[in-house]
Amino acid sequence: MSTSRTVICLLRNDLRLHDNEVFHWAQRNAEHIVPLYCFDPGHYLGTANYNLPRTGPFRLRFLLDSIQDLRTSLIQRGSTLVVRRGRPQEVVGDLIKQLGSVSAVAFHEEVVPEDQQVERGVRDICSQMKVKVHTCWGSTLYHRDDLPFNHLSRLPDVYTQFRKAVETQGRVRPVLPTLDQLKPLPPGSGLDEGLIPSPEDLEQTDTVRDPRSAFPCSGGETQALARLQHYFWDTDAVATYKETRNGLIGLDYSTKFSPWLAIGCISPRYIYQQIKKYESERTANQSTYWVVFELLWRDYFKFVGAKYGDRLFDIKGLQDKSIPWKKDMNLFNAWKEGRTGVPFVDANMRELALTGFMSNRGRQNVASFLTKDLGLDWRMGAEWFHYLLVDHDVSSNYGNWLYSAGIGNDPRENRKFNMIKQGLDYDNNGDYVRHWIPELKGIRGGEVHAPWTLSSASLSHAQVSLNDTYPSPIVMAPEWSRHTNKKPTGAGPSARGKTGPSHTPKQHKDRGIDFYFSKSKNF
């Protein structure tokens, strides 16, 4: 290709300079580079089945922070980020006409059908205008072309089989370095970099940060790299990750990388590289391995999405299983608003609504409750998460909801979580519940997980009035009674409000199986 031409780098979920193949390719093949981000109006429409907002306030604020951070970094390297509002294929077409010297459009490929539709649109526009398209793959730890399967159709339907195959037969490609300088925008083109819109410009609301949030962080590559530095090198928290990752309160019980991973502010290969460096220089143990284990879950759901496409959103799931799901909006509203009368569920749902974040442990439980206890259409829960999660990733979110609903990649039949046992195992003194449900703060210890079992005198003393200040359960599961009359282990003065690893409960030996919940899980 002539080096006197211009390359448009269409950025989507790759908002970083480190380990970004699109920028490296453009730097080698063009004299001028136009980094471009489009605010696609399709991202702000309603969800497919229940018309919930597609992008909530927490994720939008995080995205806007990330766009600003990337623009600042590009300006420091002699470039800038061009921002436009509109469908990417139309914006790209307009820029090709305006610049007149565009030789190629480069972008990272995605797996979600809607994103692939955008890619087809860009390809069509470029074909009509005789402009080359160059694509890269950069969203996963293991490159798509390096998987030990002849074709994605051969991808195993069980995670463990996938993990063992890539660990023994695959390789992680090296991290691409951050460019010190980027080729400039074409001179004399009159190209306006464009304003970064506000939430109000996009007809969205802005956020108010809740001081209780377990994720009080801002978007952007700068913040992502600082988070890794803190979690790995400054605090050594990564060395106890496997023991603390089921925590519920505070920032450092898990890596919290998932929001940055979701929009590509940090590369999974960079995290892997830093893990290997940490293992070489400090310690290698089950915790450091477990970070990679979770990155592999994230990879797996990306490749499951690539394999199954639109079936990821089908009510029958990947197993084509017909289940008579209910669509009771009263039950759904109680679930999403955190007023089911089951405190462990309600605390998690309120945390999500007020912060855009929820722990991996919480996600497993509220998903099980919606699908197995309430029997509601799993897509109601998936679309609510789609709306609110700051770290929403389509493949991980929908893949995990299918898993929880028993129609996805779960090799076990009829997996169900016991809400009371889970609460006692992971919030044994009830601190997390009281953290998010202040109307129950008068109930001490683990008894807060089942207030309906308390005597009238106990409730009165705690200033709780069932069905008045706090609801009675909207459903009761028979297995709960096995745990409502037992004293929780570890009851007594609690230090769970502290974030240090020694104050977070260890894995419970009989806790029930873990499963990955979106990059957001423990990430």
Side-chain angles (χ1 to χ4, degrees), residues 2 40 45 97 238 257 441:
S2 167
D40 187 340
L45 301 174
K97 289 176 188 172
V238 68
F257 292 153
K441 67 180 183 297

Side-chain angles (χ1 to χ4, degrees), residues 16-21 24 140-141 171-179 221 225 228 266-276:
R16 64 179 183 269
L17 286 171
H18 75 276
D19 200 31
N20 193 320
E21 188 180 348
H24 275 265
T140 52
L141 178 60
R171 70 179 183 95
V172 176
R173 295 186 180 187
V175 171
L176 296 170
T178 302
L179 295 168
E221 178 180 18
L225 298 179
L228 185 144
I266 194 167
S267 156
R269 289 194 299 230
Y270 178 73
I271 296 173
Y272 180 85
Q273 177 204 65
Q274 290 292 300
I275 280 285
K276 292 301 170 187

Side-chain angles (χ1 to χ4, degrees), residues 407-441:
I407 52 177
N409 297 96
D410 189 354
R412 290 175 54 178
E413 289 283 333
N414 302 318
R415 188 192 307 268
K416 184 185 180 190
F417 283 79
N418 181 323
M419 296 302 111
I420 307 305
K421 181 180 186 302
Q422 288 281 312
L424 293 173
D425 281 354
Y426 294 100
D427 182 33
N428 59 2
N429 203 46
D431 292 339
Y432 174 74
V433 163
R434 285 184 292 274
H435 194 62
W436 291 105
I437 309 180
E439 58 265 44
L440 297 180
K441 67 180 183 297

Side-chain angles (χ1 to χ4, degrees), residues 211-457:
R212 296 170 292 179
S213 176
F215 188 76
C217 306
S218 302
E221 178 180 18
T222 303
Q223 292 295 321
L225 298 179
R227 173 62 186 168
L228 185 144
Q229 173 69 28
H230 168 83
Y231 195 80
F232 284 22
W233 301 104
D234 296 346
T235 66
D236 290 308
V238 68
T240 52
Y241 168 70
K242 191 168 188 287
E243 288 75 41
T244 65
R245 67 198 173 95
N246 278 299
L248 299 168
I249 298 175
L251 179 59
D252 284 350
Y253 64 76
S254 62
T255 70
K256 302 295 198 304
F257 292 153
S258 59
W260 291 293
L261 278 164
I263 53 175
C265 293
I266 194 167
S267 156
R269 289 194 299 230
Y270 178 73
I271 296 173
Y272 180 85
Q273 177 204 65
Q274 290 292 300
I275 280 285
K276 292 301 170 187
K277 185 170 186 280
Y278 186 91
E279 289 180 333
S280 171
E281 296 180 10
R282 295 203 180 168
T283 188
N285 58 21
Q286 274 201 319
S287 287
T288 55
Y289 167 71
W290 216 257
V291 174
V292 179
F293 179 90
E294 301 292 7
L295 287 174
L296 285 177
W297 260 118
R298 180 179 176 274
D299 268 21
Y300 181 60
F301 279 124
K302 287 278 187 192
F303 295 127
V304 166
K307 175 179 178 178
Y308 285 103
D310 281 328
R311 285 181 63 187
L312 209 60
F313 314 104
D314 191 287
I315 193 168
K316 294 183 178 180
L318 309 183
Q319 301 180 19
D320 197 31
K321 186 184 293 186
S322 293
I323 295 175
W325 301 110
K326 292 185 288 190
K327 299 184 179 182
D328 185 319
M329 294 309 294
N330 289 326
L331 291 178
F332 177 61
N333 287 336
W335 177 83
K336 72 183 179 68
E337 293 165 12
R339 48 180 184 83
T340 66
V342 183
F344 194 53
V345 173
D346 291 345
N348 277 287
M349 296 306 298
R350 294 187 194 188
E351 180 185 14
L352 175 64
L354 291 168
T355 71
F357 193 81
M358 189 193 297
S359 68
N360 178 45
R361 179 56 44 187
R363 296 178 202 210
Q364 296 177 56
N365 276 278
V366 302
S368 178
F369 185 77
L370 180 127
T371 57
K372 302 295 174 62
D373 289 303
L374 299 181
L376 291 176
D377 180 357
W378 66 271
R379 299 173 303 175
M380 290 174 143
E383 291 184 11
W384 187 247
F385 273 29
H386 190 153
Y387 163 45
L388 277 178
L389 280 175
V390 67
D391 59 1
H392 182 259
D393 172 277
V394 172
S395 299
S396 290
N397 181 45
Y398 284 85
N400 270 298
W401 274 96
L402 289 169
Y403 191 113
S404 183
I407 52 177
N409 297 96
D410 189 354
R412 290 175 54 178
E413 289 283 333
N414 302 318
R415 188 192 307 268
K416 184 185 180 190
F417 283 79
N418 181 323
M419 296 302 111
I420 307 305
K421 181 180 186 302
Q422 288 281 312
L424 293 173
D425 281 354
Y426 294 100
D427 182 33
N428 59 2
N429 203 46
D431 292 339
Y432 174 74
V433 163
R434 285 184 292 274
H435 194 62
W436 291 105
I437 309 180
E439 58 265 44
L440 297 180
K441 67 180 183 297
I443 303 178
R444 303 189 55 145
E447 289 181 333
V448 76
H449 288 290
W452 63 89
T453 65
L454 301 182
S455 67
S456 298

